[in-house]
Amino acid sequence: MSEPGSSNAHGETRPFRVRSSTAEWAAAILRQRVTQGGLPPGSRLAEDELTAELEVSRNTLREAFSLLGHERLLEHRFNRGVYVRVLSPDDVADIYRVRRMIEGAAVRRPDKDPISLTALRDAVSDAERVAAEGRWLDVGTADLRFHQLIVSFNGSRRVDAMMAQLMAELRLAFHAMDPRGLHAPFLPRNRELLGLLESGRNAEADALLATYLDDAERLLLAVCA
Amino acid sequence: MSEPGSSNAHGETRPFRVRSSTAEWAAAILRQRVTQGGLPPGSRLAEDELTAELEVSRNTLREAFSLLGHERLLEHRFNRGVYVRVLSPDDVADIYRVRRMIEGAAVRRPDKDPISLTALRDAVSDAERVAAEGRWLDVGTADLRFHQLIVSFNGSRRVDAMMAQLMAELRLAFHAMDPRGLHAPFLPRNRELLGLLESGRNAEADALLATYLDDAERLLLAVCA
DNA sequence: CTTATCAAATTGTTCAACAATCCCTACATT
DNA sequence: AATGTAGGGATTGTTGAACAATTTGATAAG
């Protein structure tokens, strides 16, 4: 290791000198555990356990909880503790309602940034490559990146941030499904969508995206309900 | 008073039995001071002062800061304290970019909830009434409510929440302007927009809204820059 | 005029204690 | 058996104090 630091029982290192706060460090660890499935939706996060395990004070841990709560990954019930969020069917429907709005608006835009287009190509290629290797979790990551990049055509920091939050929420639902069945059907459609975007056929891209999102929503609702 | 509670130097009562937390109570007070102009943008919020004034501990105050920071009303500079957010021209531009997207999408929707339409009528009438009385701050509130209701046609909790946050941010910029010059020009246009929505002329409503938002953005940018 | 140094003030983080609330269990009542 | 109602243990909410780290402003040296 090039950076000095203390390590805890789980091997996660905690740097001595960090620019960001200890709370953000703790939040990063918990975020990873949630998004990677180590902490399934509905799990309770007890303060006693985690302060001992992460070796941070209760106050810092609670600040980390607050951060993840605002990302909608954790749910804070007053006097009852924090839980990993459980997505309801209503949540899934709402998330896809927003996706249709902000991805649709992005796709319909006439002016597409060429730099983002190359990033888009990379995301599709990455997804196909890791799919060939059977790494379906990474396929999911590349897929989310693809759609995040589409949203970025809107050119709005705030919309980008909202999309990032929606993607984090969606990961919660992903863990309830077979990752291959979830992502495999959408790989060729991402490739097709990319082609339409490159050639500027915005109306067709819009239509394809709409059916794409409808199908994805249906898939998740079938599990989530 | 029907509810028992302790009161501080500013007359804000703090109920003994609350379902929500003390931090949220403190956040509510600070939120009010920010949105009503008591704390102008750029103000520093010193921990010492506020712990004494609100009679809460430093930890809970910092939790309140965290809450308002996530609402983008306060800005936290590491090791330098928290400040009331100052909107940059980029911020204003971004906010109106998002408004065009989510209000535009709402206006274009064919299915409008009749209940929301009556609420919309009330908002316009309220704005006109308080304008006649010269209460321009309340005009601003009614105007924001009008546009929040428009957004609600999208039928998405998350989009509603985003719009609420944008409105809170916009209030920050409002304080830098003469409230009459800011709101008076838009009263008749809200009335006109309402008429178009009621008669289902969505395309015309969309066009009117677009110029409305362009003009409003220009007005705020002139001050903010 | 610039740079270096130091002290005061403020924020970042932790800890320990106590208050408030929830949850579960046992018991009583119908 | 079902419901209701105290306890008591466990967990969270809140506080105040303490110390570390950083910024800030003033002062002194070059």
Side-chain angles (χ1 to χ4, degrees):
Chain A
M1 287 197 209
S2 59
E3 287 277 317
S6 64
S7 60
N8 60 20
H10 282 262
E12 288 129 341
T13 61
R14 176 177 172 192
F16 281 130
R17 322 196 127 263
V18 282
R19 193 152 303 289
S20 68
S21 67
T22 310
E24 280 175 36
W25 170 82
I29 289 183
L30 295 178
R31 187 185 300 113
Q32 192 169 355
R33 290 191 191 172
V34 171
T35 58
Q36 313 236 331
L39 285 166
S43 310
R44 196 167 107 79
L45 301 175
E47 294 185 350
D48 263 355
E49 279 181 36
L50 286 171
T51 51
E53 193 183 322
L54 301 179
E55 292 171 327
V56 299
S57 79
R58 252 179 94 208
N59 289 333
T60 317
L61 181 67
R62 286 163 67 85
E63 197 175 326
F65 283 167
S66 165
L67 291 171
L68 297 173
H70 282 288
E71 295 176 23
R72 289 200 244 249
L73 290 181
L74 300 183
E75 191 182 356
H76 187 143
R77 303 181 205 167
F78 195 77
N79 274 320
R80 267 187 263 169
V82 294
Y83 297 78
V84 179
R85 183 111 171 286
V86 180
L87 248 55
S88 71
D90 273 357
D91 285 316
V92 173
D94 200 56
I95 289 172
Y96 277 89
R97 210 173 288 131
V98 180
R99 285 190 68 173
R100 272 185 280 269
M101 176 184 298
I102 66 184
E103 294 194 52
V107 154
R108 275 178 245 116
R109 271 195 179 270
D111 53 325
K112 305 270 200 313
D113 177 16
I115 296 178
S116 296
L117 268 177
T118 63
L120 225 51
R121 275 188 282 271
D122 289 345
V124 172
S125 301
D126 284 355
E128 291 168 341
R129 195 181 60 248
V130 295
E133 299 173 18
R135 292 156 52 196
W136 293 103
L137 244 77
D138 295 326
V139 176
T141 302
D143 180 74
L144 295 180
R145 192 168 93 244
F146 178 72
H147 287 273
Q148 178 86 55
L149 283 166
I150 287 179
V151 166
S152 75
F153 284 128
N154 285 303
S156 164
R157 282 205 321 273
R158 281 166 180 76
V159 174
D160 287 350
M162 184 175 211
M163 184 65 176
Q165 191 169 294
L166 294 180
M167 301 289 94
E169 286 188 81
L170 275 182
R171 277 184 201 271
L172 290 173
F174 283 4
H175 297 306
M177 261 198 82
D178 162 48
R180 170 172 181 158
L182 179 59
H183 296 300
F186 297 103
L187 278 177
R189 299 167 83 167
N190 279 345
R191 170 61 72 188
E192 190 183 352
L193 185 55
L194 173 63
L196 294 174
L197 290 175
E198 284 178 321
S199 51
R201 287 139 77 188
N202 291 341
E204 292 171 69
D206 191 20
L208 175 60
L209 180 66
T211 64
Y212 178 113
L213 291 174
D214 285 348
D215 291 346
E217 177 184 5
R218 207 171 301 124
L219 208 57
L220 280 180
L221 277 177
V223 186
C224 190
Chain B
M1 284 201 206
S2 59
E3 288 275 319
S6 65
S7 61
N8 61 18
H10 282 261
E12 288 129 343
T13 59
R14 176 176 171 193
F16 280 131
R17 324 197 123 262
V18 282
R19 195 143 305 284
S20 70
S21 69
T22 309
E24 279 174 37
W25 170 83
I29 288 182
L30 295 177
R31 187 184 299 115
Q32 193 169 352
R33 290 191 192 172
V34 170
T35 58
Q36 315 236 331
L39 285 167
S43 312
R44 196 167 107 79
L45 301 176
E47 295 185 348
D48 264 357
E49 279 181 35
L50 286 171
T51 50
E53 194 182 321
L54 300 180
E55 292 172 324
V56 299
S57 79
R58 237 175 111 213
N59 287 329
T60 32
L61 181 66
R62 286 165 68 83
E63 197 174 325
F65 284 166
S66 165
L67 290 170
L68 296 173
H70 283 288
E71 295 175 21
R72 292 199 242 251
L73 291 180
L74 300 183
E75 190 183 353
H76 187 146
R77 302 181 206 167
F78 198 80
N79 273 321
R80 267 187 259 169
V82 293
Y83 297 79
V84 179
R85 181 109 172 287
V86 180
L87 250 53
S88 72
D90 273 358
D91 284 318
V92 173
D94 200 55
I95 289 172
Y96 276 89
R97 210 173 288 131
V98 180
R99 284 190 68 173
R100 272 185 280 270
M101 178 185 297
I102 66 183
E103 293 194 52
V107 155
R108 275 179 244 115
R109 270 193 181 271
D111 53 327
K112 305 269 200 314
D113 177 16
I115 295 178
S116 296
L117 269 177
T118 63
L120 224 52
R121 276 189 282 271
D122 290 344
V124 173
S125 301
D126 284 355
E128 290 169 342
R129 194 181 63 250
V130 294
E133 299 172 19
R135 293 156 52 195
W136 293 103
L137 243 78
D138 295 327
V139 177
T141 303
D143 180 73
L144 294 181
R145 192 168 92 243
F146 178 72
H147 288 273
Q148 178 87 56
L149 283 165
I150 287 179
V151 166
S152 75
F153 284 128
N154 285 305
S156 164
R157 280 206 322 273
R158 281 166 180 76
V159 174
D160 288 350
M162 184 176 212
M163 182 66 176
Q165 190 169 294
L166 294 179
M167 300 290 95
E169 285 188 80
L170 275 182
R171 276 185 202 270
L172 290 173
F174 283 4
H175 297 306
M177 263 200 79
D178 163 47
R180 170 173 179 158
L182 179 60
H183 297 300
F186 298 103
L187 278 177
R189 299 166 84 167
N190 279 345
R191 170 63 72 188
E192 191 183 352
L193 185 54
L194 173 63
L196 293 174
L197 289 175
E198 285 177 321
S199 52
R201 286 139 77 190
N202 292 341
E204 292 171 69
D206 191 20
L208 174 60
L209 180 67
T211 64
Y212 177 113
L213 291 174
D214 286 346
D215 292 345
E217 177 184 5
R218 207 173 299 125
L219 206 59
L220 280 180
L221 277 177
V223 186
C224 189

